[in-house]
Amino acid sequence: SVKSTGKKKEAKPEKLADKEFLQSVTVDCTEVEVQRVLDLFRSAREGKQKDVLTAAGEAIGRLCSGAEGLAWFREAGGIEVVAKTAADAPDQGGKYTIIAVEGLCTGVVTWLDEVDPVDFGELSTVMYYTLWLGGVDEDVAVSALFAIEKFALFRASHAAGLLQSGVLRILHGLLTVHRAPEFAEQVFSLLYLLCDLPGEVVLDPLLEHPQILKTVGSALKQAPLNMRLQLIGIRFLSMLASRLHQYDEVMRLIRKAGAEDLLAETVQKLERAGYPHYASWLSIVATRPLCAERPV
């Protein structure tokens, strides 16, 4: 029998060249280099080449740390490719692809934090990153909420444009993935800001995605002792009911979300906890729009 020499199998020249290229990639790479990085990431994942996949993931993190490289990576279709690998199981290559996912998300967080709301053209990019990566990484989701808020505060027409572009569907998706009460508070506050517009602007987007009201109600029911969350959520529902009270379909959705019971329970808990002024404020603000029997 032939004995093993104990020497490791030497890497093929083309594989070494690929690794050397990937290790040389920086934030100042060209559009052609970005495409090559993405192609190598794809092929290494399909061929289960762990070392090349690791090097590609690190290269993606470096090139996406700059706005220009991130833009080229988006235009090459890299955001979708990497986002889909976030679901890879660790024993199926996920412990290697996660390097690219984390590097990409770090770059996107930086971009979202720095985006200027004056540039209306970037609003679609904000939505794009939120859609593809908001459910993958909570840091991206939080930065996306603040970016959307910046645009909505800058101009009311931006808020209307966001509603027409399906922002309620995206926010609903984030709520179903990230369930921490602190995150829900931020979403509820943003929903209030986006929907605090004339009823005719809000009506169609809301009816196109009515599930978000049920999810808001469920989130409130799951955290009955979180008074801050209750106040923010009920305030949002009462504002909707006040602006859209003439639309029976919307009022049915709000009732199905359990808004009236939530209001009564929260007012009662605030009074028992020794906060009658908060209980009085909430009752005054929300009783008339939310309760079936409205006081005269």
Side-chain angles (χ1 to χ4, degrees), residues 17-29 33 36-37 55 58-59 62:
D18 290 340
K19 287 179 63 178
E20 289 176 359
F21 161 72
L22 291 168
Q23 290 166 357
S24 71
V25 171
T26 67
V27 67
D28 298 319
C29 60
E33 289 173 332
R36 185 179 174 189
V37 170
E58 293 170 348
R62 290 194 298 274

Side-chain angles (χ1 to χ4, degrees), residues 79-176:
I79 307 297
E80 297 96 316
V81 172
V82 174
K84 290 175 181 177
T85 68
D88 290 353
D91 59 349
Q92 297 295 321
K95 62 182 178 181
Y96 303 106
T97 56
I98 193 64
I99 297 171
V101 174
E102 291 178 347
L104 172 61
C105 288
T106 298
V108 169
V109 166
T110 300
W111 186 90
L112 288 169
D113 290 343
E114 296 176 354
V115 66
D116 190 344
V118 173
D119 191 349
F120 179 74
E122 296 288 18
L123 191 53
S124 61
T125 307
V126 171
M127 295 280 282
Y128 178 80
Y129 287 146
T130 308
L131 175 64
W132 278 101
L133 296 170
V136 170
D137 185 272
E138 188 170 2
D139 288 339
V140 173
V142 171
S143 291
L145 294 182
F146 284 119
I148 293 170
E149 181 183 38
K150 282 192 295 185
F151 277 92
L153 286 172
F154 182 75
R155 189 169 293 166
S157 60
H158 288 178
L162 283 161
L163 288 173
Q164 294 167 5
S165 299
V167 71
L168 295 183
R169 177 174 62 87
I170 294 176
L171 293 178
H172 180 226
L174 296 181
L175 269 179
T176 60

Side-chain angles (χ1 to χ4, degrees), residues 31-84:
E31 187 175 0
V32 173
E33 289 173 332
V34 170
Q35 185 62 60
R36 185 179 174 189
V37 170
L38 183 57
D39 291 341
L40 287 172
F41 178 78
R42 282 198 189 101
S43 61
R45 178 171 176 258
E46 293 171 359
K48 298 182 179 179
Q49 298 174 317
K50 300 175 183 178
D51 50 349
V52 177
L53 188 56
T54 298
E58 293 170 348
I60 288 171
R62 290 194 298 274
L63 68 87
C64 288
S65 64
E68 188 175 26
L70 181 61
W72 280 339
F73 194 69
R74 184 185 73 246
E75 291 171 5
I79 307 297
E80 297 96 316
V81 172
V82 174
K84 290 175 181 177

Side-chain angles (χ1 to χ4, degrees), residues 171-232:
L171 293 178
H172 180 226
L174 296 181
L175 269 179
T176 60
V177 175
H178 307 297
R179 297 181 175 274
E182 296 79 9
F183 184 80
E185 287 177 15
Q186 294 179 37
V187 175
F188 291 173
S189 296
L190 181 56
L191 285 171
Y192 187 99
L193 175 64
L194 292 170
C195 296
D196 190 18
L197 295 170
E200 59 271 18
V201 177
V202 180
L203 180 62
D204 288 341
L206 185 63
L207 293 181
E208 286 173 6
H209 201 77
Q211 301 93 328
I212 194 167
L213 295 182
K214 181 179 179 180
T215 301
V216 168
S218 297
L220 292 174
K221 292 171 186 175
Q222 290 169 9
L225 300 180
N226 189 324
M227 290 297 101
R228 178 178 171 83
L229 183 65
Q230 299 296 318
L231 286 169
I232 296 173

